[in-house]
């Protein structure tokens, strides 16, 4: 696929786009031609305020102008690749529907929606003791029953408020509350550009994701296999000493459930959220480019002739 990039010397945005194209070249088999607009007065007058400019193929798809993000560039390449196929024809007219608008809104706000949903999911079990205390068993019982599908609800591994058991164990609370916590930090890193949190914007590789899950797996399996924390050993010396004893708050086992749950939550957010964000941004950019290019190929995206 032939790509024309209009640049000028000393333009850092141009350098960034060229680096992106270099990285995408193996995937899209690009042939990139760089054009210095200072060599042509007509080009300079037409494009000096929009540099860099990226044009794919014969320009039927229009052009991308600065600032150009990686998701937008990937979406542009995807559509251009489809049109380059021998069987491809002019894109049919596209009319945006209400469903498209809803999907676009969800794509732009998916993080907030996910955090609100998870906050409700992890907060509701801790509201159950309040409902029980107030005698509102018509609300408390269905919640206990519903959350039993997601949690063992063992009393020695769950919280207790006002003398009533919480409908979630400490481990589940740590996992889901941790996703809300680290997801909120990811949102700050993404939207507020907080320097100390920028590491969350770089997707965690698989080889680091697995080690963050291992402590949770080991902790859970040792309980499941009866190596730790059975009701019979609660007051006795066991093979692993204090490691085997105690489910109460602030005991070692309690801390292990909280810490391993938080580590797993960190791994899930760090691994999945940046990738989800990139997918959402690419889908939105592709939708916008398709909308602009399939109807009138004029207006702001018409390519330079």
């Amino acid at each position: 696929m032939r790509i024309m990039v209009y640049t000028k010397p000393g333009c850092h945005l141009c350098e960034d786009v060229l680096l992106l194209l270099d990285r995408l070249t193996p995937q899209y088999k690009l042939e990139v031609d760089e054009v210095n607009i200072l060599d042509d007065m007509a080009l300079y007058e037409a494009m000096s305020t929009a540099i860099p400019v990226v044009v794919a193929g014969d320009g039927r798809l229009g052009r991308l102008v600065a600032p150009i993000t990686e998701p937008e560039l990937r979406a542009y390449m995807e559509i251009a690749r489809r049109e380059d196929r021998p069987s491809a024809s002019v894109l049919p007219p596209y009319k945006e529907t209400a469903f498209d608008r809803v999907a676009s809104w969800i794509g732009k706000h998916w993080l907030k929606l996910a955090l609100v949903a998870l906050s409700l999911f992890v907060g509701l079990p801790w509201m159950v003791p309040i409902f029980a205390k107030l005698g509102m068993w018509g609300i408390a019982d269905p919640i206990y029953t519903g959350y039993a599908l997601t949690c063992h609800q063992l009393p020695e591994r769950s919280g207790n408020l006002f003398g009533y058991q919480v409908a979630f164990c400490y481990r589940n609370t740590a996992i889901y509350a941790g996703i809300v916590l680290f997801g909120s930090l990811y949102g700050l890193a993404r939207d507020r550009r907080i320097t100390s949190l920028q590491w969350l914007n770089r997707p965690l590789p698989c080889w680091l994701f697995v080690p963050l899950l291992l402590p949770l797996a080991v902790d859970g399996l040792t309980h499941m296999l009866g190596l730790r924390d059975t009701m019979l050993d609660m007051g006795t010396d066991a093979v692993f000493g204090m490691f085997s004893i105690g489910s109460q708050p602030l005991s070692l086992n309690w801390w292990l459930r909280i810490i391993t749950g938080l580590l797993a939550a960190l791994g899930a957010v760090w691994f999945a959220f940046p990738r989800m964000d990139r997918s959402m941004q690419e889908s939105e950019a592709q939708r916008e480019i398709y909308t602009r290019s399939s109807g009138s190929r004029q207006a702001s995206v018409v390519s330079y002739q």
Side-chain angles (χ1 to χ4, degrees):
M1 183 193 310
R2 185 167 292 279
I3 299 293
M4 299 292 291
V5 186
Y6 296 90
T7 67
K8 64 181 180 182
C11 170
H12 72 278
L13 292 178
C14 302
E15 294 170 1
D16 292 343
V17 166
L18 288 170
L19 287 173
L20 282 175
L21 288 170
D22 185 59
R23 201 162 72 233
L24 296 177
T25 291
Q27 180 179 352
Y28 295 101
K29 298 179 172 60
L30 304 180
E31 297 177 19
V32 180
D33 294 325
E34 183 180 356
V35 179
N36 184 352
I37 64 170
L38 297 183
D39 294 337
D40 187 320
M41 185 55 65
L43 284 177
Y44 180 78
E45 291 177 351
M47 297 184 176
S48 60
T49 60
I51 292 299
V53 175
V54 176
V55 180
D58 59 6
R60 284 185 302 157
L61 284 178
R63 62 184 182 180
L64 294 181
V65 300
I68 300 173
T69 64
E70 182 175 350
E72 187 178 17
L73 190 58
R74 283 181 177 275
Y76 188 63
M77 296 297 106
E78 286 290 342
I79 296 176
R81 181 163 61 177
R82 292 174 197 168
E83 287 219 332
D84 268 354
R85 294 170 184 165
S87 59
S89 58
V90 177
L91 292 171
Y94 175 81
K95 184 178 180 180
E96 189 177 51
T97 65
F99 178 80
D100 294 323
R101 289 190 290 272
V102 171
S104 176
W105 185 86
I106 291 174
K108 292 175 181 176
H109 300 90
W110 73 269
L111 180 58
K112 291 179 182 177
L113 294 173
L115 293 179
V116 168
L118 285 171
S119 295
L120 292 174
F121 182 70
V122 73
L124 193 57
W126 287 81
M127 294 292 294
V128 175
I130 298 176
F131 296 137
K133 178 70 173 179
L134 296 175
M136 302 170 68
W137 289 103
I139 298 176
D141 279 338
I143 297 175
Y144 275 127
T145 302
Y147 276 87
L149 299 174
T150 66
C151 180
H152 51 65
Q153 294 183 342
L154 294 176
E156 69 272 16
R157 300 181 191 174
S158 304
N160 190 289
L161 295 175
F162 308 115
Y164 296 95
Q165 182 181 328
V166 175
F168 236 5
C169 68
Y170 291 122
R171 180 177 287 120
N172 278 5
T173 298
I175 292 171
Y176 292 107
I179 292 176
V180 173
L181 169 64
F182 295 118
S184 299
L185 293 177
Y186 169 75
L188 290 174
R190 183 195 67 179
D191 300 334
R192 301 290 180 86
R193 306 291 181 185
I194 297 177
T195 305
S196 60
L197 296 175
Q198 286 308 300
W199 53 274
L200 278 172
N201 277 325
R202 296 185 289 273
L204 182 72
C206 291
W207 63 273
L208 284 177
F209 178 40
V210 173
L212 287 175
L213 297 182
L214 278 178
L216 180 73
V218 171
D219 186 46
L221 284 173
T222 53
H223 276 134
M224 185 176 70
L225 297 176
L227 300 177
R228 297 167 45 205
D229 193 35
T230 63
M231 295 301 290
L232 294 177
D233 352 274
M234 292 293 266
T236 65
D237 292 331
V239 176
F240 300 103
M242 287 301 297
F243 184 71
S244 303
I245 300 173
S247 282
Q248 301 83 0
L250 304 184
S251 67
L252 180 58
N253 279 333
W254 182 88
W255 279 112
L256 286 173
R257 292 188 186 100
I258 298 297
I259 292 171
T260 57
L262 289 175
L263 284 175
L266 172 60
V269 168
W270 197 359
F271 178 84
F273 280 29
R275 290 177 169 85
M276 290 172 64
D277 232 341
R278 189 173 73 177
S279 296
M280 294 294 185
Q281 290 170 12
E282 289 177 7
S283 297
E284 179 62 18
Q286 194 171 91
R287 185 191 68 82
E288 291 181 359
I289 293 171
Y290 185 88
T291 301
R292 293 181 298 181
S293 7
S294 63
S296 167
R297 297 178 185 269
Q298 299 173 5
S300 62
V301 294
V302 174
S303 61
Y304 175 75
Q305 300 296 330

